[in-house]
Amino acid sequence: MQWNAALGKSAATTPRTGKPTVMKTGMHRNVCWKRVAALTFAILLMLAIGGCTRKKTEASNENFKRAINAYFYNGRDECLFPVAQKFPNEVKVAEKSEMKDMDALSKAGLLRRTEDGAFQLVRYDLTPLGTRAKGRFCFGHRDITSVDSFTPLRTEDKRKASDVTYHYRIVDAPVWAQDENLKKQFPELARKISGNAEGKTTVMSAYEGWEVPDYGKPVIE
């Protein structure tokens, strides 16, 4: 009786077995604490994700720079011509303007020049180097180095939009893009390859952030 009385001071007993329930109570508390900890972690994770999402959707230089770089890094190269040129290309000697473009490409090693005096024609064929440049003679893509400014947000197609002004360099440029005669004949090549060219591009709000739209007529200068 004394033993049971002493035990009763430190632990409760079950009506049927008389065994102490201290261990069961401790286990119950541990389970509760684990549930509270898991719930707290889930709430903190949701808050963190929500904060990151809000940060990505803000109109900021960092977000716009990321969006524009993602656009140009996705196979959108700068090129000498808006459409692919067809070769072999026969140019009449009298067509001086087109001949100047083709002759500049020829001097840069991209074309092979053959004169036909009888028909007053000059024939241009692609060299192996010119074949790698493809028909538009592409010379790398933009890498945005800094965002200078952007216009106040407006609504287009139920989305937020802004025109972003920035500076960029050309990356993955071939050696021929540095040809001085070629840069003289194609001033836009010289401007873009300078390493500090200025551009302007439209960005629009997306599901989680911003993007350059690949439809309609976004501003790309």
Short mmCIF file of all heavy atoms in Angstrom, two decimals, residues 75-87 102 105 110 126 130-140 176 182 186 189 192:
data_model
loop_
_atom_site.label_atom_id
_atom_site.label_comp_id
_atom_site.label_asym_id
_atom_site.label_seq_id
_atom_site.Cartn_x
_atom_site.Cartn_y
_atom_site.Cartn_z
N GLY A 75 18.08 32.45 -78.72
CA GLY A 75 18.26 32.31 -80.16
C GLY A 75 17.89 33.52 -80.98
O GLY A 75 17.62 33.40 -82.18
N ARG A 76 17.86 34.71 -80.36
CA ARG A 76 17.50 35.93 -81.11
C ARG A 76 18.76 36.75 -81.37
O ARG A 76 19.11 37.63 -80.59
CB ARG A 76 16.44 36.71 -80.34
CG ARG A 76 15.09 35.97 -80.30
CD ARG A 76 14.06 36.73 -79.50
NE ARG A 76 12.76 36.11 -79.64
CZ ARG A 76 12.30 35.14 -78.84
NH1 ARG A 76 13.07 34.67 -77.87
NH2 ARG A 76 11.09 34.64 -79.02
N ASP A 77 19.41 36.43 -82.48
CA ASP A 77 20.68 37.06 -82.82
C ASP A 77 20.48 38.37 -83.59
O ASP A 77 19.43 38.59 -84.21
CB ASP A 77 21.53 36.11 -83.68
CG ASP A 77 22.03 34.92 -82.89
OD1 ASP A 77 22.03 34.98 -81.64
OD2 ASP A 77 22.43 33.92 -83.51
N GLU A 78 21.51 39.19 -83.54
CA GLU A 78 21.56 40.40 -84.37
C GLU A 78 22.15 40.00 -85.73
O GLU A 78 23.09 39.21 -85.80
CB GLU A 78 22.44 41.46 -83.73
CG GLU A 78 22.00 41.85 -82.32
CD GLU A 78 20.66 42.55 -82.31
OE1 GLU A 78 20.42 43.40 -83.20
OE2 GLU A 78 19.84 42.26 -81.42
N CYS A 79 21.60 40.56 -86.81
CA CYS A 79 22.03 40.17 -88.15
C CYS A 79 22.17 41.39 -89.06
O CYS A 79 21.56 42.44 -88.81
CB CYS A 79 21.03 39.19 -88.77
SG CYS A 79 20.69 37.74 -87.74
N LEU A 80 22.94 41.24 -90.13
CA LEU A 80 23.14 42.33 -91.08
C LEU A 80 21.89 42.58 -91.93
O LEU A 80 21.62 43.71 -92.33
CB LEU A 80 24.33 42.04 -92.00
CG LEU A 80 25.70 41.94 -91.33
CD1 LEU A 80 26.77 41.70 -92.40
CD2 LEU A 80 26.02 43.20 -90.54
N PHE A 81 21.14 41.50 -92.22
CA PHE A 81 19.96 41.61 -93.08
C PHE A 81 18.72 41.09 -92.35
O PHE A 81 18.79 40.10 -91.61
CB PHE A 81 20.16 40.80 -94.36
CG PHE A 81 21.33 41.27 -95.20
CD1 PHE A 81 22.55 40.61 -95.14
CD2 PHE A 81 21.20 42.36 -96.04
CE1 PHE A 81 23.63 41.03 -95.89
CE2 PHE A 81 22.28 42.79 -96.81
CZ PHE A 81 23.50 42.12 -96.74
N PRO A 82 17.57 41.73 -92.56
CA PRO A 82 16.34 41.27 -91.90
C PRO A 82 15.83 39.93 -92.42
O PRO A 82 15.16 39.18 -91.71
CB PRO A 82 15.34 42.40 -92.17
CG PRO A 82 15.86 43.08 -93.41
CD PRO A 82 17.35 42.96 -93.35
N VAL A 83 16.14 39.64 -93.70
CA VAL A 83 15.74 38.36 -94.30
C VAL A 83 16.97 37.70 -94.90
O VAL A 83 17.95 38.38 -95.25
CB VAL A 83 14.64 38.54 -95.38
CG1 VAL A 83 13.37 39.08 -94.76
CG2 VAL A 83 15.13 39.46 -96.49
N ALA A 84 16.91 36.39 -95.05
CA ALA A 84 18.06 35.65 -95.57
C ALA A 84 18.31 36.00 -97.04
O ALA A 84 17.37 36.07 -97.85
CB ALA A 84 17.80 34.16 -95.41
N GLN A 85 19.57 36.21 -97.38
CA GLN A 85 19.97 36.47 -98.76
C GLN A 85 20.16 35.13 -99.50
O GLN A 85 20.60 34.15 -98.90
CB GLN A 85 21.28 37.26 -98.79
CG GLN A 85 21.23 38.56 -98.01
CD GLN A 85 20.22 39.54 -98.60
OE1 GLN A 85 20.37 40.00 -99.74
NE2 GLN A 85 19.19 39.87 -97.83
N LYS A 86 19.82 35.12 -100.76
CA LYS A 86 19.95 33.90 -101.54
C LYS A 86 21.24 33.93 -102.35
O LYS A 86 21.57 34.94 -102.98
CB LYS A 86 18.74 33.74 -102.47
CG LYS A 86 17.42 33.53 -101.73
CD LYS A 86 16.26 33.34 -102.70
CE LYS A 86 14.96 33.11 -101.96
NZ LYS A 86 13.81 32.92 -102.90
N PHE A 87 21.93 32.81 -102.34
CA PHE A 87 23.19 32.68 -103.07
C PHE A 87 23.17 31.37 -103.86
O PHE A 87 22.55 30.39 -103.42
CB PHE A 87 24.38 32.73 -102.11
CG PHE A 87 24.53 34.04 -101.41
CD1 PHE A 87 23.98 34.24 -100.15
CD2 PHE A 87 25.19 35.09 -102.03
CE1 PHE A 87 24.11 35.46 -99.51
CE2 PHE A 87 25.31 36.32 -101.39
CZ PHE A 87 24.77 36.50 -100.12
N MET A 102 27.76 43.53 -101.02
CA MET A 102 28.32 42.23 -101.34
C MET A 102 29.85 42.26 -101.35
O MET A 102 30.51 41.32 -100.91
CB MET A 102 27.81 41.75 -102.70
CG MET A 102 26.30 41.52 -102.77
SD MET A 102 25.70 40.20 -101.67
CE MET A 102 24.81 41.20 -100.45
N LEU A 105 31.18 42.14 -97.85
CA LEU A 105 31.11 40.77 -97.34
C LEU A 105 32.20 39.90 -97.97
O LEU A 105 32.76 39.01 -97.32
CB LEU A 105 29.73 40.17 -97.65
CG LEU A 105 28.55 40.80 -96.88
CD1 LEU A 105 27.23 40.30 -97.46
CD2 LEU A 105 28.62 40.46 -95.39
N LEU A 110 33.47 36.34 -96.44
CA LEU A 110 32.19 35.65 -96.35
C LEU A 110 31.64 35.24 -97.72
O LEU A 110 30.83 34.31 -97.81
CB LEU A 110 31.17 36.54 -95.64
CG LEU A 110 31.53 36.92 -94.20
CD1 LEU A 110 30.65 38.07 -93.72
CD2 LEU A 110 31.36 35.72 -93.29
N LEU A 126 28.71 31.93 -101.46
CA LEU A 126 29.11 31.81 -100.06
C LEU A 126 30.41 31.03 -99.93
O LEU A 126 30.61 30.01 -100.60
CB LEU A 126 28.02 31.10 -99.25
CG LEU A 126 26.73 31.88 -98.96
CD1 LEU A 126 25.69 30.95 -98.38
CD2 LEU A 126 27.00 33.04 -98.02
N GLY A 130 31.13 32.09 -94.81
CA GLY A 130 29.83 32.70 -95.04
C GLY A 130 28.68 31.74 -94.79
O GLY A 130 27.61 32.13 -94.33
N THR A 131 28.91 30.46 -95.08
CA THR A 131 27.87 29.45 -94.85
C THR A 131 27.53 29.36 -93.37
O THR A 131 26.37 29.22 -92.98
CB THR A 131 28.33 28.08 -95.37
OG1 THR A 131 28.60 28.18 -96.77
CG2 THR A 131 27.26 27.02 -95.14
N ARG A 132 28.56 29.46 -92.52
CA ARG A 132 28.33 29.39 -91.07
C ARG A 132 27.58 30.62 -90.57
O ARG A 132 26.91 30.57 -89.53
CB ARG A 132 29.66 29.24 -90.34
CG ARG A 132 30.32 27.89 -90.55
CD ARG A 132 31.41 27.64 -89.51
NE ARG A 132 32.52 28.57 -89.64
CZ ARG A 132 33.57 28.37 -90.42
NH1 ARG A 132 33.65 27.26 -91.17
NH2 ARG A 132 34.55 29.25 -90.48
N ALA A 133 27.70 31.73 -91.30
CA ALA A 133 27.01 32.96 -90.90
C ALA A 133 25.53 32.94 -91.26
O ALA A 133 24.78 33.83 -90.85
CB ALA A 133 27.67 34.17 -91.55
N LYS A 134 25.12 31.95 -92.04
CA LYS A 134 23.74 31.80 -92.49
C LYS A 134 23.35 32.95 -93.41
O LYS A 134 24.11 33.91 -93.61
CB LYS A 134 22.78 31.68 -91.30
CG LYS A 134 23.10 30.50 -90.39
CD LYS A 134 22.16 30.43 -89.22
CE LYS A 134 22.51 29.26 -88.32
NZ LYS A 134 21.62 29.15 -87.16
N GLY A 135 22.16 32.91 -93.95
CA GLY A 135 21.77 33.86 -94.99
C GLY A 135 21.60 35.29 -94.52
O GLY A 135 21.65 36.22 -95.32
N ARG A 136 21.38 35.48 -93.21
CA ARG A 136 21.19 36.85 -92.70
C ARG A 136 22.50 37.43 -92.17
O ARG A 136 22.54 38.58 -91.79
CB ARG A 136 20.13 36.85 -91.61
CG ARG A 136 18.74 36.45 -92.09
CD ARG A 136 17.80 36.26 -90.91
NE ARG A 136 17.65 37.51 -90.18
CZ ARG A 136 17.24 37.56 -88.91
NH1 ARG A 136 16.98 36.45 -88.24
NH2 ARG A 136 17.13 38.73 -88.31
N PHE A 137 23.54 36.65 -92.12
CA PHE A 137 24.85 37.07 -91.60
C PHE A 137 24.72 37.61 -90.17
O PHE A 137 24.91 38.79 -89.89
CB PHE A 137 25.49 38.11 -92.53
CG PHE A 137 25.78 37.56 -93.90
CD1 PHE A 137 24.86 37.73 -94.93
CD2 PHE A 137 26.94 36.85 -94.14
CE1 PHE A 137 25.11 37.21 -96.19
CE2 PHE A 137 27.19 36.32 -95.40
CZ PHE A 137 26.28 36.50 -96.43
N CYS A 138 24.39 36.68 -89.28
CA CYS A 138 24.17 37.03 -87.87
C CYS A 138 25.50 37.07 -87.12
O CYS A 138 26.43 36.32 -87.43
CB CYS A 138 23.22 36.04 -87.22
SG CYS A 138 21.57 36.01 -88.02
N PHE A 139 25.56 37.96 -86.14
CA PHE A 139 26.85 38.20 -85.48
C PHE A 139 26.76 38.22 -83.95
O PHE A 139 27.45 38.97 -83.27
CB PHE A 139 27.48 39.50 -85.97
CG PHE A 139 26.56 40.70 -85.91
CD1 PHE A 139 26.49 41.49 -84.76
CD2 PHE A 139 25.78 41.05 -87.00
CE1 PHE A 139 25.66 42.60 -84.71
CE2 PHE A 139 24.95 42.17 -86.95
CZ PHE A 139 24.88 42.94 -85.81
N GLY A 140 25.91 37.37 -83.37
CA GLY A 140 25.81 37.28 -81.91
C GLY A 140 24.53 37.88 -81.38
O GLY A 140 23.68 38.36 -82.14
N TRP A 176 34.70 37.82 -87.94
CA TRP A 176 34.46 38.70 -89.09
C TRP A 176 33.65 39.95 -88.73
O TRP A 176 33.69 40.95 -89.45
CB TRP A 176 33.78 37.94 -90.24
CG TRP A 176 32.45 37.32 -89.92
CD1 TRP A 176 32.21 36.01 -89.63
CD2 TRP A 176 31.17 37.98 -89.90
NE1 TRP A 176 30.86 35.81 -89.42
CE2 TRP A 176 30.21 37.00 -89.58
CE3 TRP A 176 30.74 39.29 -90.11
CZ2 TRP A 176 28.85 37.29 -89.46
CZ3 TRP A 176 29.38 39.59 -89.99
CH2 TRP A 176 28.47 38.60 -89.67
N LEU A 182 33.74 46.12 -93.15
CA LEU A 182 32.36 45.66 -92.96
C LEU A 182 31.60 46.62 -92.04
O LEU A 182 30.44 46.96 -92.30
CB LEU A 182 32.36 44.24 -92.39
CG LEU A 182 31.12 43.38 -92.65
CD1 LEU A 182 30.87 43.23 -94.14
CD2 LEU A 182 31.30 42.01 -92.01
N PHE A 186 28.30 48.74 -92.96
CA PHE A 186 27.09 48.47 -92.17
C PHE A 186 27.20 49.21 -90.84
O PHE A 186 27.65 48.64 -89.83
CB PHE A 186 26.92 46.96 -91.95
CG PHE A 186 26.68 46.16 -93.19
CD1 PHE A 186 27.75 45.62 -93.90
CD2 PHE A 186 25.40 45.94 -93.66
CE1 PHE A 186 27.54 44.88 -95.05
CE2 PHE A 186 25.17 45.20 -94.81
CZ PHE A 186 26.25 44.67 -95.52
N LEU A 189 26.06 47.55 -87.60
CA LEU A 189 26.99 46.55 -87.07
C LEU A 189 28.01 47.24 -86.18
O LEU A 189 28.29 46.77 -85.06
CB LEU A 189 27.70 45.82 -88.22
CG LEU A 189 28.90 44.95 -87.83
CD1 LEU A 189 28.45 43.78 -86.96
CD2 LEU A 189 29.63 44.45 -89.07
N LYS A 192 26.30 48.35 -82.86
CA LYS A 192 25.93 47.27 -81.96
C LYS A 192 27.13 46.53 -81.39
O LYS A 192 27.09 46.02 -80.27
CB LYS A 192 25.00 46.29 -82.69
CG LYS A 192 23.64 46.90 -83.02
CD LYS A 192 22.75 45.91 -83.76
CE LYS A 192 21.38 46.52 -84.04
NZ LYS A 192 20.48 45.58 -84.76
#
